[in-house]
Amino acid sequence: MDSITQAVLGASVQAALLGRWQGRKALVYGAALGTLPDLDVIIDYGDAIADMTYHRGFSHSLFVLSGLALLLTGLVRWWRPEAGYGGGRLLLTLWLVLITHPLLDAFTSYGTQLFWPLPVTPTAWSSVFIIDPGFTVPLLIAVIAGLLFGLRGRVARWPAIALGLAGAYLAFTVAGKLMVDRRVDAVLEANGIDAQKVFTTPTPFNSLLWRVVVIDGERYYEGLVSWFDEAPPELVELPRRAALAEVLADSPKHARLVWFTDGILRYDVNDGRLVVTDLRMGVPGFHPFRFALAEQVGDRWRLIEDVDREVTARGDADRLLALWRRIWNQDARVPLERWAAELSRR
C-alpha cells in the first residue's frame, strides 16, 4: 500500500493501544514505525528485477518483524521503565504496528514475502488496489482528529473505530474477490477453458470493478467484473506468446520473475528485444513492470545482463473514466483488446 496508508494505519494501532498514556506522541510513533518496513526501497539490489523482487522481502517478514518488536520492547522498557503501562501491552502494540504493514501489503497484487527467508511464492491476496480511499479515509480522519483534539474523551475511541471500519472494508474486498472468482469459474466451465492460472484484482482506486486475467498457454484472457453486473463476464482472448519463454531458459532473472509473479506474464518482441510484462499490476496496456530480458543479434538471441524497467505510459483520465462507467453499466464499452495491443507497439 502507499506510504500515507501505512503511516495512518500504524498511527491508529498505536493510538488505540497506547494513546491513553502517550497522547499525540502515539500517533507520531506509530506512523514512523508503521512505515519502517518500506525503508528497504533505498537498497540497490543490482538491477530492476532484483529491486522489484527483493522489495517486500526481509523487511516484510513476519519472523523478522516479530524479532524486531521484541528488541524494541526491551530497548523502550530500558529507556522508560516506569511508563505507566505493562511490557506486555507495549510488546503487543509494537508487534501489531509492525506486522499490520506487511499483512496489509499482502492484500494487494504486488507480492509480499511474509515468510522470508522460506522460499515460498510471495503472498498476494489481491483484494485491494495499492491506493484505496475506502480503506485509508477512516484512518486518516481518526489520525487528524487525534492530532487536533488529542486522545482524550470520545476522541480516544476514534482510532479503534477507524480500525474496525478499515477491517470491515477489507472483509468487503475479500467478499468481492470471492464473488468475481465464482462468476469467472462459471464462465470458464461453460466455455470449456482449462485455465492454468486465474488472477483477479481490483481496478484502480476502488473495489467495485475487478480485472480478470486467465492464463491458458499461448494465450490469455482479460475481462472485467463489477458488483453490479447481471450477465456473465465477457473474456477477451489475447496473445501471450509463452513459447518465447524458451529463449530465457538460462536466465536466472526470468526464473526469479516467474517465481515472484507466479507465472502471470506476457511476452512480446519489440524492436528486436524480448519484453516480459507482469500482467498482475496496472490495467491492460499500462503495466508498470516490464523488462527487456533478451535482444536479437543476427538470427540469435542474447540475454541482457543489465536489466532496466521499460518506460511505461500511465493510463490517462479518459481510460480511468471508461473504467468508472463500467462499474455501473455492464454495457459500457472498455476496449481491452485495443489497450492490450499497445504492449506490442512499444
Side-chain angles (χ1 to χ4, degrees):
M1 295 292 285
D2 62 283
S3 296
I4 292 176
T5 299
Q6 294 290 9
V8 296
L9 174 59
S12 297
V13 171
Q14 184 135 348
L17 291 171
L18 294 181
R20 173 183 171 187
W21 296 274
Q22 295 179 340
R24 291 182 176 90
K25 291 181 181 179
L27 297 168
V28 178
Y29 296 155
L33 192 60
T35 56
L36 182 64
D38 276 342
L39 290 182
D40 69 328
V41 297
I42 67 176
I43 301 173
D44 183 0
Y45 290 103
D47 62 51
I49 288 181
D51 289 343
M52 173 191 177
T53 60
Y54 284 98
H55 175 48
R56 296 194 187 179
F58 75 93
S59 68
H60 287 60
S61 167
L62 298 182
F63 305 130
V64 172
L65 294 179
S66 295
L68 180 59
L70 282 168
L71 175 62
L72 291 176
T73 299
L75 291 174
V76 172
R77 294 302 285 176
W78 171 78
W79 176 52
R80 295 288 300 275
E82 302 296 334
Y85 47 84
R89 177 180 284 268
L90 177 61
L91 174 60
L92 176 63
T93 300
L94 298 181
W95 183 70
L96 287 174
V97 170
L98 287 169
I99 70 160
T100 51
H101 179 124
L103 288 177
L104 178 59
D105 278 346
F107 279 92
T108 70
S109 58
Y110 186 93
T112 306
Q113 297 171 57
L114 295 178
F115 305 105
W116 184 96
L118 301 179
V120 297
T121 302
T123 303
W125 295 318
S126 61
S127 72
V128 180
F129 190 69
I130 58 172
I131 301 175
D132 193 324
F135 181 87
T136 306
V137 168
L139 299 173
L140 182 60
I141 291 173
V143 169
I144 292 174
L147 290 172
L148 291 176
F149 306 112
L151 293 170
R152 296 289 186 270
R154 293 182 178 179
V155 179
R157 295 195 294 268
W158 285 32
I161 294 172
L163 288 169
L165 292 174
Y169 183 78
L170 283 182
F172 170 74
T173 67
V174 172
K177 186 175 180 66
L178 294 174
M179 174 273 297
V180 174
D181 290 346
R182 185 178 67 253
R183 294 185 183 183
V184 172
D185 287 345
V187 169
L188 295 179
E189 183 177 357
N191 289 276
I193 299 174
D194 186 16
Q196 296 172 316
K197 307 277 185 182
V198 178
F199 187 82
T200 55
T201 189
T203 55
F205 314 121
N206 77 96
S207 57
L208 298 176
L209 182 66
W210 295 68
R211 281 183 62 226
V212 178
V213 180
V214 178
I215 301 297
D216 184 19
E218 280 291 292
R219 59 190 175 182
Y220 71 101
Y221 300 87
E222 282 260 9
L224 296 169
V225 180
S226 168
W227 267 105
F228 305 104
D229 287 353
E230 297 181 356
E234 178 183 352
L235 299 178
V236 177
E237 183 179 333
L238 300 167
R240 181 168 174 252
R241 305 181 182 90
L244 288 169
E246 296 179 6
V247 173
L248 305 172
D250 297 325
S251 170
K253 301 180 190 299
H254 177 250
R256 184 161 181 88
L257 196 59
V258 171
W259 167 77
F260 189 80
T261 64
D262 199 26
I264 314 295
L265 298 170
R266 166 178 168 147
Y267 303 83
D268 293 281
V269 177
N270 294 340
D271 298 325
R273 300 189 305 165
L274 177 50
V275 179
V276 183
T277 301
D278 179 358
L279 294 172
R280 304 169 308 147
M281 308 287 288
V283 295
F286 295 93
H287 299 287
F289 293 102
R290 309 188 72 213
F291 308 94
L293 296 185
E295 58 187 351
Q296 287 181 315
V297 179
D299 58 352
R300 301 180 63 183
W301 286 99
R302 180 176 64 191
L303 297 180
I304 297 175
E305 295 299 325
D306 189 12
V307 175
D308 289 320
R309 275 174 61 180
E310 294 287 288
V311 177
T312 304
R314 295 184 177 272
D316 53 35
D318 288 341
R319 303 195 185 212
L320 290 176
L321 182 58
L323 293 174
W324 176 257
R325 290 170 177 162
R326 175 62 182 80
I327 293 175
W328 318 106
N329 182 1
Q330 191 170 3
D331 294 327
R333 176 63 178 160
V334 179
L336 298 179
E337 188 171 10
R338 177 167 60 82
W339 290 1
E342 298 179 18
L343 294 173
S344 60
R345 294 176 186 165
R346 297 176 185 150

